Amino acid sequence: MKKPLRITLVTLGVLVAIPVLLVATTAVVNVVATAAEASSITDYGQRVPVDGKEMNVVLSGDGDQTIVLLPGLGTAAPGLDFQPLIDELDDSYRVVAVEPFGTGLSDPTDTERTAANITREVHEALQHLGVDRYVLMGHSIAGIYALTYSAAYADELVAFVGIDSSVPDQPGADEPIPADLIAALSTLGITRALTALAPDPYAGLPFDEHTVSQMKLLSSKNAAAPTLVNEMANTAANFAAVSGATFPAQLPVLLFVRANDTDVDGWVALHEQQAASVDTGQVITLTGDHYLHHTLSPEIAAGTTDFLAALSLR
C-alpha cells in the first residue's frame, strides 16, 4: 500500500506546485514588463508644484470661463481619459484636467488619501496656475470630493457639474474596497494576465492608437500602486465624512446621470434629490456606461454650455 500512497503524495505535490510556479512566473513577468513599459510612457501636460511634489495638469483652450476636470476613482490617466470631453469643451472654455497624486504623470504621495487632503492638493495646483474662478466638473467619486471642496472654496466656484457622480449615502457606499487584495493581485502579475485575456476596454471608443497605448501603460503603472490603493482603502471613510451633506444652496449644480444604471438602487432619484437641495439644480439623464464622457461628450458639452448660459442670464 505504500507505493500508491507515495504516488498520490507526489501527484498532490505537483498539483500544488503548478499554481505556485504559475504565480511566481506571472510575478516575475510583471516586474520585468513594468520596468520595460516605463520607458515607453510619453510626456504630456505640465507639472506644477504641490505639497513639495509635482502634480500633472493638462490645459487646453483659452475661453473666458474655466472648467476644471476631476477624475473618478481608479482612472489611471485622467488627462488622457478626459480627452474626448476636452476636445468638445476647449473651443469655448479654458479646460484644466487635473491628475491627482498617484494618477497619470503626477507623483505618488504618502499623504493619506482623504477627501480633505485630495481637495487641498487640487486647490494648491489651481492656485499655482492662477485659476481662481471656475466650474468644477467631476466624474464618479469626484462628486464626493466636490462636497468637501465646495465647503472649503465655495467663493471660487461658478458651478458643479457631475458626470455620473457619486452621492452621499448611496447604497453600498459603506462597503470597503478590498484594496490589499487588488494590490496583491497586481504584484503577483495576476491582474496583468487577466487583462491580457479580457476584451479591449477601449475598443470602439474615440481614442487614437497612441492614446490607448499610453492609457494601458499608465494603468499598469498606477492602478494598483500604493497611492491609488490608499485612496481605495479610504473610500468608505470618505463617503462617511460627507454623510448627509449637500452642496451650498447658492451653488448651481448640473448632474449628468446614467439613466440605465442597475448597480445602485434609485440612482437617478438620488441625483434628483441632490439637485433639489440647491437653488439652481438640474439633472440630465443619458444612456451609456459609467464613463459617460467616453461616448457622450458632445451631449455633456452641449448641456453644460446651455446650463452655464442660463446662469449668465440670471
Side-chain angles (χ1 to χ4, degrees):
M1 295 297 293
K2 291 182 179 180
K3 188 172 182 180
L5 177 61
R6 181 168 178 265
I7 292 173
T8 300
L9 291 174
V10 170
T11 302
L12 289 173
V14 170
L15 290 175
V16 170
I18 288 173
V20 171
L21 288 172
L22 285 174
V23 169
T25 301
T26 57
V28 171
V29 168
N30 185 61
V31 170
V32 173
T34 300
E37 289 169 352
S39 62
S40 298
I41 296 173
T42 57
D43 206 24
Y44 62 87
Q46 70 179 68
R47 311 298 200 280
V48 296
V50 174
D51 207 18
K53 300 179 182 297
E54 290 191 331
M55 185 175 289
N56 195 54
V57 295
V58 175
L59 281 73
S60 186
D62 56 5
D64 293 333
Q65 279 191 303
T66 299
I67 294 179
V68 174
L69 299 174
L70 296 183
L73 179 65
T75 302
L80 302 179
D81 182 83
F82 275 128
Q83 199 57 57
L85 183 55
I86 293 171
D87 289 344
E88 294 293 333
L89 292 171
D90 63 5
D91 286 340
S92 303
Y93 305 97
R94 181 191 186 198
V95 183
V96 182
V98 179
E99 297 194 322
F101 286 139
T103 71
L105 299 181
S106 292
D107 287 341
T109 182
D110 294 330
T111 302
E112 200 72 14
R113 297 294 80 202
T114 63
N117 286 335
I118 291 170
T119 56
R120 174 183 55 80
E121 292 160 357
V122 168
H123 185 256
E124 186 176 337
L126 297 179
Q127 288 287 291
H128 181 82
L129 294 169
V131 176
D132 55 13
R133 188 69 175 156
Y134 45 94
V135 175
L136 191 65
M137 180 182 286
H139 172 242
S140 197
I141 194 67
I144 297 303
Y145 301 155
L147 287 161
T148 302
Y149 199 102
S150 63
Y153 312 112
D155 59 329
E156 298 182 9
L157 299 182
V158 173
F160 172 70
V161 178
I163 305 171
D164 214 34
S165 49
S166 302
V167 295
D169 306 308
Q170 66 183 55
D174 57 346
E175 297 176 4
I177 296 175
D180 290 340
L181 175 60
I182 291 171
L185 292 175
S186 178
T187 300
L188 294 173
I190 295 172
T191 301
R192 181 184 291 274
L194 292 175
T195 299
L197 296 173
D200 185 352
Y202 300 107
L205 296 181
F207 297 104
D208 60 44
E209 186 176 340
H210 174 74
T211 301
V212 168
S213 172
Q214 292 301 302
M215 288 194 291
K216 289 179 178 179
L217 291 173
L218 286 164
S219 182
S220 294
K221 173 179 177 287
N222 294 330
T227 302
L228 202 48
V229 168
N230 185 261
E231 185 179 355
M232 293 177 190
N234 272 286
T235 297
N238 284 333
F239 268 96
V242 296
S243 178
T246 60
F247 287 107
Q250 71 277 12
L251 179 69
V253 172
L254 171 62
L255 303 173
F256 293 98
V257 184
R258 186 185 181 205
N260 54 320
D261 184 277
T262 58
D263 296 327
V264 180
D265 290 340
W267 186 240
V268 174
L270 288 167
H271 289 82
E272 290 173 340
Q273 292 169 15
Q274 188 173 55
S277 71
V278 297
D279 296 337
T280 305
Q282 181 181 355
V283 171
I284 296 177
T285 56
L286 298 172
T287 300
D289 66 17
H290 180 49
Y291 284 78
L292 293 172
H293 53 281
H294 284 175
T295 55
L296 296 167
S297 283
E299 290 82 353
I300 293 172
T304 299
T305 295
D306 290 344
F307 184 76
L308 297 178
L311 292 180
S312 67
L313 297 175
R314 291 171 58 196

